[in-house]
Amino acid sequence: MFTFLHKYASPQYFYSWSASWQKWASIIAALLMSVGLYYSLLNSPADYQQGETVRIMYVHVPAAWLSMFGYMVMASAAIVTLIWRIKVAEIMIAQCAVIGASFTALALITGMLWGKPMWGAYWVWDARLTSELVLLFLYFGVIALSGAFDDERAGARAAAILTLVGIVNIPIIHYSVEWWNTLHQGPTVSKFDSPSAHPSMLIPLLVMALAFKAYFFAVLFKRARTELLLRERNTSWVKALLKEAV
Amino acid sequence: MRLFLFIFKRDMLLAIRRRRELANPLVFFIMVVSMFPLGVTPDHAFLAELSAGVIWVTALLAALISMDSMFRSDYGDGSLEQLLLMPGSKVVLISAKIAAHWVSIGLPLVIIAPLMSFLLFLPPQALPSLIITLLISTPILSLLGAVGVALTLSLRGGGVLSSLLTLPFYVPVLIFSTMAINAAAVNQPVSGYYALLAAFLIVSILLVPFAVVAALRVSYN
Amino acid sequence: MSKYKKSNSLQSTALQCERGGRVLFDNLTFELHAGEALLVQGANGSGKTSLLRIITGLTTAIEGDVLWNGRPITADEQAYQRELLFIGHQSAIKQELSVRENLRLHYALNGCGADSMVELAEKVGLRQRLGVICSRLSAGQQRRVALARLFLSEQPLWVLDEPLTALDVDFIAAIEACLQAHLANGGMLILTTHRGLDLGTATIRNLDLNESAKK
């Protein structure tokens, strides 16, 4: 099984099979995104309290979900890196961190834009926003650490250890922030509660969430392939590939 | 156990020889705390409300700036290599180093914290919980800090980076501790917070040394 | 007379090491038996220190294993470390401690040692300076404190990175004698050095990292 794994994870193999994965992920992302955006922006009911601003949710919530999901993918890559030393997984860690941090930032920005009409202020120390902020810090740490080493492989291993320490810590951080929030602000009804309400809102939300995930993988494969070419530029298979392209 | 004691004694001896350096985080702690009344207000009631948070945030920073001493000089002069090559459990070795670091840095912070609480008018009924939270939590600070330091040992200017890596992990410690102190200030029960902090401490003691050993291997790559 | 087991051996299967995307060495193999010395040569940055770290087990190679008596050193790390003495190019001397305290750490690191501390200090020419804090010593004297471990060692495998740096002629002769005695006892020696070293009649194997990089 391990030889199988090593074969499919070898840089050259990965480069060839990931091409079609990247293509399909992009297509699925584009399709789902157009359907999801149509329903969420044009063909779903406005909230009886929040009015049209509720539509920010269709970007904010999927982005927030993806920020967590990205960390999980990064942690999986970290485990593979530490156990099997697979180059492709090493590359994935830093790429996951960059994309994950972008979506965390997106979740924060959309949360702030939503906060203005809701609370009358761009920033409120809401539990979820605060958790997202700490998550962004964790992503920054991984990005900074993996880039700080002269030797990329050592950087990836260091980032992998940090990621795994983070994955143990994230639930504790999340829980502590939630608790801190309820004690300081009283148990207000969070506007970020998943809409248990109506399928007309839930379905576009789920479509958007899937679209974001497909987009995540499309970008992840694209970035990983580019980085792989850069790192393997001196190997024979990349040179052969370049000759073909020219 | 013999290994633990050997490393612990060695590091304590070194700490005593470097006692001037040991005083630095303490002086830093006192100075930063005394900046707050200057920068905000000397108002009694306002500072009292602020005090738990200020003391705790400052303690975090003081612990962070002292973290480097745990491994960096041993890494620089080659003695960390020798320690890692000793036959014996690496986890025990790392635990002993972290324990020695806590005794030489964390414990003094706990001891002078009451003094800080007078400067900031912490309500007297909250003082025991300040000391107890510091006692349970400063070892957590040393443990989590050790991961950051170990990961950045081989880097130039790793000290600042290691602070950036470590600070987010300190969030639960900060939250639970200050909540406990604030609860004690209004005479509410606090044992739940202690239990949570103690649980966090136990998990850290069990898991962190393994992460540090792995991180040191990367640093020796 | 052989103090150590004649059957001891250290080997490697094709080792590979890279730094920053550059391959330092690939398919590197060596072999070493009781009573033999391995001289590792190579230009700066050719991977000498990396190789020694791989041999000591401080780090692992990307590909390949180091085998002690036929078993990978990672299989029983502690057993291997009991057989190993490593002195890096940094002295591992604590500047804040006195010569005596540093020597005491040596005893603890080695686990044993026949000589008393005064005898040991005599051998490295620091008897008068036992109470001196090491930061007051010259570079050569600090190196002597570090190399005192050689006179204590009961380990068959010595790995030395540039042991002769900063030493004066007299002490180099003492170290040479010590290394020769170690090899004659059936010990093994791996070292890097920029200057010639007289190892007497022992078999000397050469490992040139410049060549293996070219391959």
Side-chain angles (χ1 to χ4, degrees), chain B residues 24-36:
Chain B
N24 290 346
L26 291 180
V27 175
F28 176 85
F29 189 38
I30 300 169
M31 280 174 136
V32 174
V33 163
S34 50
M35 292 293 139
F36 275 87

Side-chain angles (χ1 to χ4, degrees), chain A residues 85 87 150-153 234, chain C residues 18-21 59-62:
Chain A
R85 292 200 166 193
K87 229 177 205 169
D150 296 331
D151 182 34
E152 290 128 346
R153 304 201 72 175
N234 291 329
Chain C
E18 45 170 73
R19 280 290 163 282
T59 183
T60 46
I62 292 174

